[in-house]
Amino acid sequence: MNFFRHRPRLATGLPALALLLAVSGCSSADDTAHAAVPTPDAKVTDLCRNLHKRLPDTVDGHGRNDPSPRSELTAGWGDPAIILRCGVERPALMDDPQALPVKVNGVGWAYEKRDDGTQVLTTTLRVAYVEVTLPRELAAEGASPLVDFAGPVKKAIPEGIAD
């Protein structure tokens, strides 16, 4: 008889416990950044793989923190992450005659500030487009993270006009 008296409490307790476990399971301690992986042609993919091998372990003092899903076409540093994507499409910003590119250590970058405070910089006059997104929290650093990308980009992505 005691068993049946406690059973309703157990029955109401189990759904609450199950709900608590489900909610806990949905919240993630994984703060890994996410980045859409570009889908360039084979030639650009090879260039991007070459760039990936040359990327630094740190960028502007921030350690490597690659986004998910893992790919040789994406990389990240810090938290919140500076995200690099190689093989992106030519940004519409490059059609704007008012847009002024920034040049950092011999690599040209088209600059775009988004409404959320992030900055997106995309290489110019290279056979493949490389995009770097600076999170709002790091946007004040300006072009300084680009210094660490200049050498690898110059070595891996030839100058020219991307198709």
Side-chain angles (χ1 to χ4, degrees):
M1 194 82 149
N2 234 355
F3 173 76
F4 292 111
R5 191 161 33 131
H6 291 285
R7 190 169 185 194
R9 284 189 200 155
L10 187 58
T12 57
L14 280 179
L17 179 60
L19 178 63
L20 179 63
L21 290 174
V23 170
S24 298
C26 290
S27 66
S28 173
D30 179 17
D31 291 333
T32 302
H34 300 278
V37 177
T39 55
D41 64 28
K43 176 184 171 188
V44 170
T45 297
D46 286 344
L47 292 171
C48 291
R49 286 183 177 142
N50 189 23
L51 174 63
H52 188 83
K53 293 175 195 171
R54 299 171 184 275
L55 291 173
D57 291 331
T58 60
V59 170
D60 201 34
H62 302 282
R64 192 77 180 250
N65 182 23
D66 286 344
S68 67
R70 300 277 189 220
S71 169
E72 290 179 307
L73 304 179
T74 62
W77 295 264
D79 183 20
I82 297 167
I83 300 291
L84 178 143
R85 298 186 325 127
C86 185
V88 297
E89 294 290 322
R90 182 179 189 273
L93 170 70
M94 290 187 187
D95 294 331
D96 182 357
Q98 301 298 318
L100 297 175
V102 176
K103 198 158 196 170
V104 178
N105 290 358
V107 177
W109 300 86
Y111 167 84
E112 175 187 1
K113 185 171 183 175
R114 295 197 173 148
D115 292 339
D116 65 359
T118 59
Q119 293 179 4
V120 180
L121 298 115
T122 308
T123 56
T124 61
L125 302 177
R126 296 277 161 183
V127 176
Y129 293 109
V130 178
E131 174 190 275
V132 173
T133 302
L134 302 176
R136 180 184 68 244
E137 296 83 352
L138 301 177
E141 295 178 25
S144 63
L146 301 181
V147 171
D148 294 318
F149 296 126
V153 167
K154 285 194 289 190
K155 290 176 183 170
I157 311 293
E159 289 184 280
I161 305 293
D163 296 331

